[in-house]
Amino acid sequence: KSTSNGAPPLAAKSRAKKELSLITMGGGGWFYVPKVWTPYGGWWPTPAHWKRNTALVHLGVLVTAAMIFKVSADKERMPVAPYKHVPSQMWRKHAKEEDPSLP
């Protein structure tokens, strides 16, 4: 059917436009999803730049761990010299003072 000026009816135009937008936009259909907020992004999360963000978080954790390790190595003291080699003697600041047998 058509209107008096030869154009298709409005409902058909609207339906055709909707079908065209579904084809061009993709999405694969509609799924029932309850209204739930989640901190990680909800259902089917695909955050932008997730690989970069993950690398930055890992870098931050590594830098923080290195800083904590450095402070710990600077402050570590042994009032009694160990009777065998302790791995932390390689990086401790006061190792030679506390154990003169070290090379």
XYZ file of all heavy atoms in Angstrom:
810
model
N 0.842 -1.182 0.000
C 0.000 0.000 0.000
C 0.877 1.232 0.000
O 1.998 1.218 0.489
C -0.871 0.024 1.253
C -1.964 -1.008 1.244
C -2.799 -0.818 2.470
C -3.983 -1.738 2.436
N -4.846 -1.585 3.553
N 0.332 2.301 -0.448
C 1.056 3.564 -0.413
C 0.071 4.679 -0.105
O -1.135 4.520 -0.225
C 1.766 3.817 -1.745
O 0.812 3.958 -2.784
N 0.615 5.823 0.281
C -0.231 6.981 0.570
C -0.597 7.664 -0.730
O -0.181 7.251 -1.802
C 0.522 7.959 1.491
O 1.721 8.346 0.857
C 0.834 7.316 2.826
N -1.342 8.747 -0.634
C -1.809 9.433 -1.842
C -0.661 10.020 -2.665
O -0.786 10.161 -3.873
C -2.794 10.546 -1.467
O -2.131 11.469 -0.606
N 0.489 10.303 -2.022
C 1.598 10.864 -2.795
C 2.573 9.783 -3.277
O 3.636 10.087 -3.791
C 2.333 11.941 -1.992
C 2.970 11.396 -0.726
O 2.830 10.218 -0.424
N 3.659 12.247 -0.002
N 2.285 8.513 -3.084
C 3.098 7.427 -3.591
C 4.134 6.907 -2.604
O 4.831 5.943 -2.900
N 4.287 7.524 -1.426
C 5.260 7.085 -0.433
C 4.689 5.916 0.365
O 3.482 5.813 0.531
C 5.598 8.232 0.508
N 5.536 5.027 0.850
C 5.032 3.922 1.669
C 4.479 4.445 2.985
O 4.836 5.528 3.424
C 6.261 3.046 1.899
C 7.427 3.889 1.583
C 6.969 4.963 0.657
N 3.587 3.700 3.603
C 3.017 4.146 4.877
C 4.111 4.333 5.935
O 5.186 3.745 5.853
C 2.073 3.014 5.278
C 1.971 2.108 4.127
C 3.060 2.426 3.172
N 3.828 5.158 6.927
C 4.803 5.507 7.961
C 5.273 4.278 8.738
O 6.454 4.145 9.037
C 4.184 6.536 8.915
C 5.123 7.138 9.935
C 6.287 7.829 9.233
C 4.399 8.113 10.821
N 4.378 3.359 9.059
C 4.752 2.165 9.821
C 5.767 1.321 9.052
O 6.734 0.820 9.614
C 3.516 1.342 10.145
N 5.577 1.176 7.765
C 6.505 0.389 6.954
C 7.860 1.083 6.884
O 8.901 0.438 6.924
C 5.938 0.179 5.555
N 7.855 2.397 6.763
C 9.108 3.159 6.725
C 9.876 2.984 8.035
O 11.075 2.758 8.032
C 8.787 4.652 6.549
C 9.142 5.228 5.235
C 8.783 6.693 5.268
C 9.526 7.444 4.217
N 9.127 8.837 4.162
N 9.138 3.095 9.137
C 9.761 2.980 10.448
C 10.347 1.584 10.645
O 11.446 1.430 11.154
C 8.731 3.281 11.520
O 9.286 3.076 12.785
N 9.587 0.558 10.239
C 10.057 -0.813 10.384
C 11.297 -1.051 9.518
O 12.267 -1.655 9.957
C 8.953 -1.784 9.996
C 9.311 -3.221 10.271
C 8.155 -4.201 10.075
N 6.924 -3.585 9.640
C 6.319 -3.844 8.467
N 6.835 -4.710 7.641
N 5.200 -3.254 8.120
N 11.287 -0.535 8.307
C 12.438 -0.709 7.420
C 13.665 -0.007 7.994
O 14.782 -0.534 7.941
C 12.114 -0.162 6.031
N 13.467 1.177 8.552
C 14.578 1.913 9.148
C 15.141 1.155 10.342
O 16.357 1.060 10.525
C 14.107 3.306 9.556
C 15.213 4.202 10.016
C 14.681 5.586 10.283
C 15.800 6.505 10.738
N 15.328 7.843 11.001
N 14.261 0.582 11.174
C 14.683 -0.173 12.338
C 15.466 -1.413 11.917
O 16.516 -1.723 12.478
C 13.461 -0.565 13.170
C 13.796 -1.238 14.473
C 12.547 -1.499 15.266
C 12.884 -2.151 16.595
N 11.692 -2.413 17.373
N 14.980 -2.134 10.901
C 15.678 -3.318 10.415
C 17.046 -2.946 9.856
O 18.030 -3.634 10.079
C 14.834 -4.042 9.377
C 13.631 -4.748 9.961
C 12.709 -5.318 8.901
O 13.022 -5.187 7.698
O 11.680 -5.890 9.281
N 17.114 -1.830 9.139
C 18.372 -1.382 8.572
C 19.359 -1.033 9.678
O 20.533 -1.400 9.612
C 18.157 -0.165 7.660
C 19.409 0.393 7.006
C 20.024 -0.649 6.085
C 19.105 1.656 6.253
N 18.886 -0.365 10.726
C 19.790 -0.007 11.817
C 20.275 -1.253 12.553
O 21.409 -1.297 13.009
C 19.114 0.968 12.783
O 18.129 0.312 13.533
N 19.447 -2.281 12.683
C 19.879 -3.516 13.315
C 20.937 -4.216 12.481
O 21.887 -4.774 13.005
C 18.699 -4.457 13.549
C 17.759 -4.092 14.697
C 16.580 -5.049 14.723
C 18.477 -4.105 16.011
N 20.790 -4.146 11.181
C 21.758 -4.782 10.294
C 23.083 -4.037 10.347
O 24.140 -4.637 10.472
C 21.221 -4.829 8.848
C 20.047 -5.808 8.769
C 22.324 -5.255 7.874
C 19.298 -5.750 7.462
N 23.050 -2.730 10.289
C 24.295 -1.973 10.261
C 24.944 -1.878 11.637
O 26.155 -1.793 11.728
C 24.064 -0.546 9.726
O 23.102 0.105 10.548
C 23.593 -0.575 8.300
N 24.181 -1.879 12.708
C 24.750 -1.726 14.040
C 25.162 -3.060 14.650
O 25.944 -3.083 15.581
C 23.751 -1.036 14.976
C 23.446 0.388 14.608
S 24.883 1.428 14.664
C 25.130 1.532 16.407
N 24.671 -4.160 14.191
C 25.029 -5.456 14.752
C 24.358 -5.681 16.092
O 23.288 -5.173 16.361
N 24.976 -6.447 16.941
C 24.424 -6.691 18.264
C 23.918 -8.103 18.417
O 23.940 -8.661 19.506
N 23.439 -8.723 17.366
C 23.049 -10.111 17.413
C 21.767 -10.412 18.137
O 21.581 -11.504 18.620
N 20.881 -9.487 18.267
C 19.611 -9.775 18.901
C 19.515 -9.220 20.308
O 20.428 -8.580 20.812
N 18.414 -9.507 20.960
C 18.149 -8.959 22.276
C 18.185 -10.071 23.288
O 17.644 -11.148 23.082
C 16.778 -8.282 22.275
C 16.454 -7.618 23.550
C 16.833 -6.390 23.943
C 15.676 -8.150 24.627
N 16.362 -6.105 25.188
C 15.638 -7.174 25.638
C 15.029 -9.344 24.851
C 14.971 -7.368 26.833
C 14.364 -9.532 26.037
C 14.339 -8.541 27.008
N 18.829 -9.843 24.425
C 18.877 -10.800 25.517
C 18.245 -10.155 26.742
O 18.428 -8.972 26.980
C 20.321 -11.163 25.872
C 21.039 -11.905 24.804
C 21.799 -11.225 23.871
C 20.949 -13.271 24.718
C 22.467 -11.896 22.874
C 21.615 -13.959 23.732
C 22.378 -13.264 22.804
N 17.550 -10.967 27.535
C 17.006 -10.440 28.767
C 18.142 -10.280 29.762
O 18.873 -11.214 30.063
C 15.941 -11.356 29.368
C 15.544 -10.928 30.749
C 14.751 -9.796 30.926
C 16.003 -11.585 31.872
C 14.424 -9.360 32.191
C 15.681 -11.166 33.135
C 14.883 -10.051 33.289
O 14.553 -9.607 34.543
N 18.324 -9.072 30.257
C 19.356 -8.795 31.231
C 18.713 -8.031 32.384
O 18.157 -6.962 32.179
C 20.485 -7.940 30.617
C 21.537 -7.636 31.652
C 21.104 -8.649 29.440
N 18.765 -8.574 33.593
C 18.190 -7.835 34.714
C 18.985 -6.567 34.997
O 20.160 -6.477 34.671
C 18.291 -8.824 35.877
C 19.349 -9.776 35.483
C 19.333 -9.838 33.989
N 18.321 -5.597 35.597
C 18.985 -4.331 35.915
C 19.852 -4.538 37.151
O 19.380 -4.483 38.269
C 17.951 -3.234 36.175
C 17.005 -3.001 35.019
C 17.684 -2.206 33.947
C 16.673 -1.891 32.864
N 17.244 -1.469 31.656
N 21.132 -4.804 36.930
C 22.069 -5.064 38.010
C 23.311 -4.236 37.764
O 23.865 -4.256 36.676
C 22.460 -6.560 38.070
C 23.498 -6.806 39.139
C 21.245 -7.416 38.322
N 23.759 -3.502 38.795
C 25.010 -2.754 38.676
C 26.122 -3.613 39.236
O 25.984 -4.246 40.282
C 24.926 -1.449 39.466
C 26.204 -0.679 39.389
C 26.539 0.225 38.445
C 27.319 -0.773 40.280
N 27.791 0.710 38.673
C 28.300 0.118 39.800
C 27.605 -1.506 41.418
C 29.525 0.293 40.423
C 28.834 -1.338 42.033
C 29.770 -0.440 41.535
N 27.236 -3.678 38.530
C 28.383 -4.418 39.020
C 29.633 -3.560 38.834
O 29.718 -2.789 37.886
C 28.562 -5.745 38.255
O 28.707 -5.445 36.871
C 27.381 -6.662 38.458
N 30.616 -3.697 39.715
C 31.813 -2.867 39.609
C 32.678 -3.194 38.401
O 33.453 -2.374 37.964
C 32.562 -3.148 40.908
C 32.050 -4.446 41.377
C 30.631 -4.538 40.894
N 32.559 -4.400 37.837
C 33.412 -4.769 36.717
C 32.762 -4.504 35.365
O 33.300 -4.904 34.342
C 33.850 -6.231 36.821
C 32.709 -7.206 36.901
C 32.066 -7.655 35.770
C 32.272 -7.660 38.128
C 31.021 -8.538 35.850
C 31.232 -8.542 38.232
C 30.609 -8.982 37.084
O 29.571 -9.850 37.180
N 31.632 -3.860 35.302
C 31.082 -3.452 34.015
C 29.782 -4.111 33.624
O 29.238 -3.825 32.566
N 29.253 -4.999 34.425
C 27.956 -5.584 34.104
C 28.062 -6.806 33.218
O 29.073 -7.482 33.156
N 26.994 -7.062 32.498
C 26.928 -8.236 31.644
C 27.741 -7.993 30.392
O 27.647 -6.964 29.761
C 25.473 -8.527 31.287
C 24.620 -8.619 32.488
C 23.792 -7.656 32.969
C 24.528 -9.706 33.406
N 23.195 -8.076 34.122
C 23.617 -9.334 34.412
C 25.117 -10.951 33.473
C 23.291 -10.163 35.464
C 24.797 -11.770 34.517
C 23.888 -11.384 35.492
N 28.510 -8.970 29.980
C 29.364 -8.922 28.791
C 30.240 -7.675 28.779
O 30.178 -6.849 27.873
C 28.538 -8.981 27.508
C 27.646 -10.158 27.456
C 28.006 -11.454 27.323
C 26.218 -10.155 27.566
N 26.917 -12.267 27.333
C 25.791 -11.491 27.480
C 25.269 -9.171 27.730
C 24.468 -11.841 27.558
C 23.956 -9.523 27.797
C 23.568 -10.837 27.713
N 31.089 -7.496 29.772
C 31.913 -6.288 29.800
C 33.031 -6.352 28.756
O 33.683 -7.378 28.602
C 32.490 -6.277 31.205
C 32.556 -7.709 31.574
C 31.366 -8.355 30.911
N 33.222 -5.281 28.054
C 34.338 -5.146 27.125
C 34.844 -3.719 27.239
O 34.584 -2.876 26.379
C 33.921 -5.437 25.680
O 32.774 -4.641 25.371
C 33.608 -6.892 25.459
N 35.557 -3.404 28.330
C 36.006 -2.029 28.512
C 37.038 -1.635 27.462
O 37.828 -2.466 27.003
C 36.624 -2.030 29.912
C 36.939 -3.441 30.183
C 35.965 -4.274 29.408
N 37.010 -0.364 27.105
C 37.965 0.148 26.130
C 39.367 0.127 26.728
O 39.545 0.386 27.913
C 37.584 1.566 25.741
N 40.354 -0.214 25.926
C 41.768 -0.202 26.316
C 42.062 -1.099 27.522
O 42.885 -0.769 28.353
C 42.232 1.222 26.625
C 41.897 2.206 25.573
N 42.441 2.169 24.317
C 41.059 3.256 25.577
C 41.953 3.150 23.597
N 41.104 3.825 24.330
N 41.417 -2.252 27.612
C 41.609 -3.088 28.794
C 43.031 -3.627 28.889
O 43.556 -3.794 29.991
C 40.595 -4.231 28.835
C 40.807 -5.296 27.811
C 40.279 -5.363 26.559
C 41.631 -6.462 27.947
N 40.710 -6.483 25.913
C 41.539 -7.177 26.740
C 42.428 -6.958 28.960
C 42.220 -8.363 26.516
C 43.106 -8.146 28.738
C 42.996 -8.835 27.526
N 43.676 -3.874 27.773
C 45.058 -4.386 27.830
C 45.998 -3.311 28.374
O 46.874 -3.600 29.192
C 45.517 -4.835 26.449
C 44.849 -6.103 25.979
C 45.360 -6.517 24.625
C 44.638 -7.769 24.144
N 45.100 -8.200 22.835
N 45.834 -2.075 27.907
C 46.673 -0.987 28.399
C 46.428 -0.753 29.882
O 47.363 -0.583 30.665
C 46.374 0.297 27.616
C 47.277 1.452 28.045
C 46.698 2.776 27.693
N 45.455 2.940 28.445
C 44.569 3.887 28.204
N 44.750 4.726 27.235
N 43.477 3.987 28.923
N 45.159 -0.742 30.285
C 44.830 -0.523 31.695
C 45.410 -1.627 32.577
O 45.929 -1.357 33.662
C 43.314 -0.443 31.876
C 42.717 0.753 31.197
O 43.417 1.702 30.850
N 41.420 0.721 30.977
N 45.343 -2.861 32.124
C 45.895 -3.976 32.877
C 47.414 -3.844 33.002
O 47.981 -4.078 34.075
C 45.537 -5.316 32.197
O 44.105 -5.402 32.090
C 46.057 -6.500 32.990
N 48.071 -3.452 31.912
C 49.529 -3.265 31.951
C 49.903 -2.140 32.924
O 50.885 -2.256 33.671
C 50.061 -2.963 30.561
N 49.125 -1.061 32.936
C 49.410 0.038 33.857
C 49.242 -0.381 35.313
O 50.033 0.009 36.176
C 48.512 1.238 33.547
C 48.850 2.003 32.271
C 47.802 3.069 31.990
C 50.227 2.620 32.376
N 48.233 -1.176 35.596
C 48.024 -1.663 36.967
C 49.182 -2.570 37.378
O 49.704 -2.465 38.497
C 46.669 -2.388 37.096
C 46.582 -3.151 38.404
C 45.534 -1.387 36.990
N 49.602 -3.454 36.476
C 50.732 -4.333 36.792
C 52.005 -3.520 37.021
O 52.783 -3.833 37.935
C 50.957 -5.361 35.682
C 49.967 -6.469 35.689
N 49.431 -6.994 34.550
C 49.388 -7.142 36.705
C 48.581 -7.951 34.866
N 48.535 -8.053 36.175
N 52.214 -2.502 36.221
C 53.371 -1.635 36.408
C 53.308 -0.933 37.766
O 54.315 -0.858 38.478
C 53.450 -0.601 35.282
C 54.622 0.364 35.356
C 55.929 -0.381 35.162
C 54.461 1.460 34.327
N 52.135 -0.441 38.137
C 51.965 0.211 39.438
C 52.244 -0.734 40.594
O 52.897 -0.359 41.572
N 51.768 -1.963 40.489
C 52.015 -2.956 41.541
C 53.506 -3.270 41.620
O 54.074 -3.375 42.719
C 51.188 -4.238 41.282
C 51.640 -5.380 42.163
C 49.711 -3.957 41.478
N 54.165 -3.408 40.478
C 55.596 -3.703 40.457
C 56.407 -2.566 41.074
O 57.308 -2.812 41.886
C 56.048 -3.956 39.016
C 57.511 -4.328 38.840
C 57.765 -5.702 39.432
C 57.891 -4.296 37.379
N 56.091 -1.322 40.731
C 56.815 -0.175 41.289
C 56.597 -0.089 42.795
O 57.538 0.139 43.566
C 56.380 1.131 40.582
C 56.867 2.348 41.324
C 56.891 1.141 39.153
N 55.368 -0.296 43.233
C 55.074 -0.261 44.669
C 55.822 -1.363 45.411
O 56.406 -1.122 46.479
C 53.557 -0.398 44.907
O 52.878 0.636 44.194
C 53.209 -0.317 46.373
N 55.847 -2.566 44.849
C 56.561 -3.679 45.484
C 58.062 -3.385 45.539
O 58.719 -3.693 46.548
C 56.302 -4.981 44.732
N 58.609 -2.790 44.487
C 60.045 -2.458 44.485
C 60.366 -1.411 45.552
O 61.398 -1.503 46.229
C 60.454 -1.954 43.106
N 59.492 -0.433 45.718
C 59.717 0.593 46.741
C 59.666 -0.018 48.143
O 60.505 0.302 49.004
C 58.705 1.722 46.590
C 58.929 2.558 45.352
S 57.624 3.718 44.942
C 57.314 4.540 46.461
N 58.706 -0.885 48.388
C 58.593 -1.547 49.689
C 59.815 -2.423 49.936
O 60.374 -2.444 51.041
C 57.283 -2.364 49.771
C 56.081 -1.414 49.806
C 57.288 -3.288 50.971
C 54.741 -2.098 49.664
N 60.278 -3.147 48.910
C 61.462 -3.992 49.034
C 62.683 -3.148 49.385
O 63.480 -3.521 50.252
C 61.694 -4.747 47.723
C 62.924 -5.584 47.723
C 62.914 -6.845 48.291
C 64.096 -5.125 47.164
C 64.057 -7.625 48.301
C 65.239 -5.889 47.166
C 65.221 -7.149 47.738
N 62.846 -2.005 48.730
C 64.002 -1.129 48.979
C 63.999 -0.625 50.424
O 65.027 -0.660 51.099
C 63.957 0.044 48.009
C 64.989 1.105 48.229
C 66.292 0.735 47.599
C 67.257 1.899 47.634
N 68.258 1.810 48.648
N 62.857 -0.160 50.896
C 62.770 0.333 52.278
C 63.041 -0.807 53.259
O 63.769 -0.633 54.239
C 61.388 0.975 52.538
C 61.165 1.254 54.007
C 61.237 2.253 51.729
N 62.504 -1.979 52.984
C 62.704 -3.124 53.866
C 64.182 -3.526 53.906
O 64.722 -3.806 54.981
C 61.858 -4.296 53.380
O 62.138 -5.454 54.111
N 64.836 -3.542 52.744
C 66.256 -3.917 52.710
C 67.112 -2.889 53.440
O 68.114 -3.251 54.078
C 66.714 -4.059 51.269
N 66.749 -1.617 53.372
C 67.511 -0.579 54.071
C 67.351 -0.665 55.589
O 68.268 -0.335 56.332
C 67.086 0.812 53.592
C 67.571 1.115 52.189
O 68.457 0.385 51.694
O 67.052 2.076 51.587
N 66.202 -1.105 56.050
C 65.927 -1.121 57.486
C 66.212 -2.461 58.158
O 66.196 -2.544 59.376
C 64.461 -0.748 57.731
C 64.165 0.691 57.378
C 62.763 1.061 57.766
C 62.540 2.540 57.509
N 61.393 3.042 58.213
N 66.463 -3.501 57.387
C 66.651 -4.826 57.976
C 67.966 -4.883 58.749
O 69.021 -4.518 58.242
C 66.652 -5.897 56.882
C 66.788 -7.297 57.422
C 66.741 -8.359 56.337
O 66.664 -8.011 55.153
O 66.800 -9.535 56.703
N 67.881 -5.354 59.979
C 69.056 -5.508 60.846
C 69.016 -6.893 61.474
O 67.941 -7.417 61.776
C 69.057 -4.452 61.957
C 69.086 -3.016 61.528
C 70.339 -2.618 60.788
N 71.556 -2.775 61.539
C 72.330 -1.787 61.949
N 71.998 -0.545 61.693
N 73.428 -2.033 62.611
N 70.202 -7.460 61.714
C 70.311 -8.747 62.406
C 71.246 -8.553 63.590
O 72.456 -8.435 63.405
C 70.857 -9.820 61.471
C 69.904 -10.235 60.402
S 70.589 -11.635 59.510
C 69.319 -11.879 58.318
N 70.721 -8.521 64.802
C 71.580 -8.306 65.969
C 72.559 -9.456 66.207
O 73.630 -9.263 66.754
C 70.605 -8.158 67.127
C 69.312 -8.659 66.639
C 69.324 -8.612 65.156
N 72.209 -10.647 65.762
C 73.083 -11.803 65.887
C 73.407 -12.282 64.473
O 72.509 -12.484 63.658
C 72.400 -12.932 66.688
C 73.284 -14.161 66.761
C 72.010 -12.450 68.062
N 74.692 -12.471 64.196
C 75.089 -12.929 62.862
C 74.527 -14.314 62.593
O 74.550 -15.189 63.468
C 76.602 -12.957 62.766
N 74.019 -14.567 61.403
C 73.457 -15.889 61.096
C 74.564 -16.943 61.012
O 75.702 -16.643 60.654
C 72.780 -15.691 59.744
C 73.410 -14.490 59.161
C 73.869 -13.639 60.290
N 74.255 -18.190 61.370
C 75.257 -19.266 61.354
C 75.455 -19.840 59.960
O 76.402 -20.583 59.718
C 74.902 -20.373 62.351
C 73.644 -21.135 62.029
C 73.700 -22.300 61.288
C 72.413 -20.688 62.482
C 72.553 -23.002 60.991
C 71.267 -21.382 62.196
C 71.332 -22.543 61.444
O 70.192 -23.226 61.153
N 74.553 -19.535 59.023
C 74.726 -19.931 57.621
C 74.305 -18.762 56.737
O 73.720 -17.781 57.214
C 73.907 -21.178 57.297
C 72.414 -20.992 57.406
C 71.682 -22.262 57.030
C 70.193 -21.976 57.057
N 69.429 -23.091 56.545
N 74.579 -18.874 55.470
C 74.275 -17.785 54.542
C 72.762 -17.556 54.451
O 71.992 -18.502 54.328
C 74.828 -18.104 53.158
C 74.508 -17.062 52.141
N 75.092 -15.813 52.157
C 73.651 -17.064 51.098
C 74.614 -15.106 51.145
N 73.741 -15.841 50.500
N 72.376 -16.300 54.500
C 70.980 -15.896 54.346
C 70.889 -15.077 53.059
O 71.682 -14.153 52.870
C 70.515 -15.049 55.560
C 69.087 -14.594 55.379
C 70.662 -15.828 56.843
N 69.967 -15.409 52.143
C 69.910 -14.708 50.867
C 69.788 -13.186 50.985
O 70.338 -12.454 50.163
C 68.672 -15.295 50.185
C 68.529 -16.651 50.770
C 69.009 -16.517 52.189
N 69.131 -12.702 52.015
C 68.962 -11.249 52.129
C 70.272 -10.526 52.420
O 70.346 -9.307 52.313
C 67.926 -10.907 53.200
O 68.424 -11.217 54.477
N 71.332 -11.276 52.750
C 72.627 -10.636 52.978
C 73.203 -10.047 51.689
O 74.072 -9.196 51.735
C 73.613 -11.638 53.577
C 73.303 -11.997 55.002
C 74.255 -13.037 55.548
O 74.571 -14.015 54.875
N 74.716 -12.820 56.762
N 72.722 -10.509 50.546
C 73.212 -9.978 49.274
C 72.754 -8.543 49.053
O 73.426 -7.778 48.385
C 72.745 -10.862 48.116
C 73.375 -12.240 48.124
S 72.928 -13.228 46.701
C 71.206 -13.567 46.995
N 71.595 -8.169 49.571
C 71.080 -6.829 49.298
C 70.882 -5.965 50.536
O 70.524 -4.811 50.433
C 69.779 -6.903 48.506
C 68.697 -7.730 49.158
C 67.913 -7.373 50.201
C 68.289 -9.029 48.780
N 67.048 -8.378 50.520
C 67.255 -9.415 49.645
C 68.695 -9.931 47.789
C 66.625 -10.635 49.553
C 68.055 -11.156 47.701
C 67.038 -11.493 48.579
N 71.138 -6.516 51.709
C 70.983 -5.722 52.926
C 72.050 -4.644 53.030
O 73.200 -4.851 52.672
C 71.059 -6.608 54.166
C 69.799 -7.373 54.419
C 69.743 -8.042 55.770
N 70.978 -8.710 56.171
C 71.694 -8.335 57.229
N 71.317 -7.340 57.980
N 72.793 -8.994 57.543
N 71.658 -3.492 53.538
C 72.567 -2.352 53.661
C 73.632 -2.581 54.742
O 74.790 -2.222 54.566
C 71.729 -1.114 53.988
C 72.470 0.175 54.031
C 71.487 1.306 54.286
C 72.164 2.646 54.294
N 71.214 3.733 54.539
N 73.259 -3.184 55.852
C 74.150 -3.328 57.008
C 74.736 -4.737 57.144
O 75.214 -5.104 58.220
C 73.382 -2.986 58.295
C 72.763 -1.635 58.263
N 73.488 -0.482 58.421
C 71.479 -1.243 58.068
C 72.676 0.556 58.332
N 71.455 0.117 58.125
N 74.746 -5.518 56.091
C 75.183 -6.923 56.185
C 76.651 -7.030 56.570
O 77.010 -7.838 57.425
C 74.910 -7.645 54.879
N 77.528 -6.231 55.958
C 78.967 -6.325 56.251
C 79.288 -5.868 57.677
O 80.205 -6.392 58.311
C 79.749 -5.493 55.249
C 79.744 -6.106 53.878
C 81.025 -5.796 53.156
C 80.954 -6.366 51.773
N 81.931 -7.374 51.563
N 78.530 -4.903 58.183
C 78.758 -4.429 59.558
C 78.411 -5.524 60.563
O 79.119 -5.687 61.569
C 77.885 -3.213 59.862
C 78.153 -1.991 59.028
C 77.095 -0.925 59.229
O 76.324 -1.019 60.218
O 77.019 -0.036 58.395
N 77.348 -6.234 60.318
C 76.838 -7.207 61.281
C 77.504 -8.575 61.174
O 77.495 -9.346 62.120
C 75.332 -7.345 61.128
C 74.618 -6.052 61.468
C 73.190 -6.026 60.966
O 72.759 -6.981 60.321
O 72.513 -5.036 61.229
N 78.035 -8.889 59.998
C 78.681 -10.196 59.803
C 80.015 -9.976 59.077
O 80.062 -9.964 57.856
C 77.774 -11.124 59.007
C 78.281 -12.551 58.964
O 79.293 -12.848 59.644
O 77.666 -13.368 58.242
N 81.103 -9.803 59.829
C 82.396 -9.521 59.204
C 82.947 -10.659 58.348
O 83.851 -10.451 57.553
C 83.331 -9.251 60.390
C 82.498 -9.265 61.604
C 81.156 -9.774 61.251
N 82.404 -11.853 58.469
C 82.901 -12.973 57.676
C 82.449 -12.902 56.218
O 82.886 -13.712 55.408
C 82.453 -14.294 58.295
O 81.037 -14.425 58.182
N 81.592 -11.978 55.892
C 81.133 -11.841 54.502
C 82.262 -11.315 53.621
O 83.075 -10.497 54.056
C 79.946 -10.893 54.411
C 78.608 -11.422 54.922
C 77.570 -10.336 54.879
C 78.162 -12.612 54.116
N 82.359 -11.783 52.394
C 83.427 -11.300 51.490
C 83.214 -9.862 51.055
O 82.229 -9.290 51.049
C 83.323 -12.238 50.299
C 82.016 -12.907 50.373
C 81.542 -12.793 51.801
